[in-house]
Amino acid sequence: GLKVGAYWYSCADNATNGRNEARYMIDHCLKGKQFELPIAMDVEDSHHQIPAGRKNLTDAVIAFCEELENSGYYANIYANPNFFNNYLDQGRLAPYDKWLALWNSSTTKPSYMGGNFGLWQNSSSGSVGGYRVDTNYCYKDYAAIMKELGLNGFAKTPVTPEPKPEPTPTPTPEPKPE
């Protein structure tokens, strides 16, 4: 009964590498599957990405997200506050959904980024079936979005138009006697 998404731990440090990573993910990991949750680019690699600089890293993220979206997937950016604040140009990334990794075990949605994120990873100490897992809060009905828009491997759900009421006939005026 768990809804499923996917994320890619990225090492992309420029637009070409971002696009190439997305293409690889699409061709080798996503194709033929359905995902109710977004497909996220995990941006937090200090070895490859920090040295690239804010512009190049933001270019990599945009190229990754564009490649996903052009292939029918719902793109999402996963990062911690340090990366969102110091290594990414949030203004350029405004069109994309965000997944905030901020572990504080609270249940109250943080006001960070003005609350402008669809997913929040709040802890790494959850448990499912005896396995330790990260816990997340979801603020959008992603499954409905994917199905309605035909994203992440789902066929687009046709929208049934509301039946239009029959027009009320305009009475024909009776002729006046002369």
Side-chain angles (χ1 to χ4, degrees), residues 88-99:
L88 294 168
D89 182 340
Q90 290 188 54
R92 290 180 58 211
L93 297 176
Y96 302 104
D97 199 3
K98 313 293 186 305
W99 181 5

Side-chain angles (χ1 to χ4, degrees), residues 92-113:
R92 290 180 58 211
L93 297 176
Y96 302 104
D97 199 3
K98 313 293 186 305
W99 181 5
L100 177 64
L102 179 61
W103 295 353
N104 64 11
S105 298
S106 172
T107 57
T108 303
K109 185 176 183 179
S111 60
Y112 179 75
M113 296 183 348

